[in-house]
Amino acid sequence: MSEGTRVLVLNAGSSSVKYQLIDMLDGAHLASGLVERIGEPSGRLVHTPHTGERHETVQAFPDHSAALKAVAEELAAEGLGLDSPELAAIGHRVVHGGMRFTEPTVITDEVLREIRRLIPVAPLHNPANITGIEVARTLRPDLPQVAVFDTAFHASMPEYAARYAIDKAVADEHRVRRYGFHGTSHQYVSRATARLLGRDPAEVNVIVLHLGNGASASAVSGGRCVDTSMGLTPLEGLVMGTRSGDIDAGVVFHLHRVGGLSIDEIDDLLNRRSGLRGLCGDNDMREIMRRAEEGDADAGLAFDSYIHRLRKYIGGYYAVLGRVDAIVFTAGVGENAAAVRAAATAGLEELGIEVDPELNSVRTGEPRIISPEYARVAVAVVPTDEELEIARQAFALVHRQQREREESGASKESGAPAKSSGSTD
Ligand code: AMP
């Protein structure tokens, strides 16, 4: 029986693996890192130990197996090897859990088959996640491996929010519905916001704005997601770094029929050459704000479009929730760009939404409230920690199952004589 308190979190992409080793006793990140350009002639591993200097190894990592073995060696060199009895589980970020996986799930052959069956709805992500799982299972076949799904937190959305208004039979046949993504972040941040307010998550309504290179908004009521901006794929919703977000589906037909673009070209256009990058050539908000400040018209338009869409979602989710206790900003842009937070909330005093410019300009990695005390709606900045949330969920599941096994073992032991005495009476 494992007494371990550590969880290794793996986030495998098509040519990269991110990892974090977390001790669940205190949530300490013992080591973290990234292998990138897997399968290319020259790859890179960046390893950051808990204490000490981060270091870089440049070499070829022919596949995910080679990459994970190199990660295991880095960890072993610090006495944190995968063979350590301290390791309780490996937690895997899996992007798409479909309708079936609405909770963290211990990975079995059958679970892996189901995740594979979801590839048609997540062709870019699930294959890489599966590879990560398969390699990790060969490295530690005895260890519980837990899948934590990006879609799971949004499974509580009511049907009228999850359904697209299209023919029901067609939608069902092809599993077309709004699943939502960034779920572990929305879950972690909404709960952390309730804590910041000193309130029980079960009694607060929160609008979460996860603004990274990918971006999504969600409306969370009493700890349950009731709406979110991403859909069948992460393309829907906010203006993002390189994705268009909401768009008239007619644009796709037009570009295909009139513009002569193939479906793959349109996919590439909307996912990788749109959003901020499409509007102004840059997808880094720092650069866009700098250019806009200097009077660059394209950068100014990109910033304004980004903010306009954000405000539409804030207003929409305000109406969905009816009462809003907090609006929270997270991820790269949300945590760092005071100008985005100010512009997204400007002029909404009538709705009880206000930001204190001084509090907004404070730079710190700590969760904080940036609205004045008298404001009806708290505006907050809460750094997200998806890896900690994955580790937490994986650890909780493994422990629960362990306890259940122990209890059923104990009841069998104490039950056996009782039964036999009963049968002889
Ligand atoms: P993420 O996907 O959460 O890592 O966020 C990455 C994005 O955050 C980058 O593309 C930048 O646009 C943005 N970002 C990071 N730092 C800052 C900053 N100091 N100010 C504005 N935007 C930032």
Side-chain angles (χ1 to χ4, degrees), residues 91-112:
H92 296 267
R93 175 184 183 223
V94 179
V95 168
H96 217 306
M99 298 275 280
R100 151 104 190 252
F101 297 111
T102 58
E103 299 284 339
T105 305
V106 171
I107 298 164
T108 59
D109 290 343
E110 193 268 332
V111 167
L112 205 50

Side-chain angles (χ1 to χ4, degrees), residues 210-214 283-286 289 331-333 336-337 363:
H210 175 113
L211 310 178
N213 195 33
N283 63 321
D284 191 318
M285 187 54 85
R286 283 164 288 203
M289 292 191 301
V333 177
N336 296 298
R363 295 190 65 87

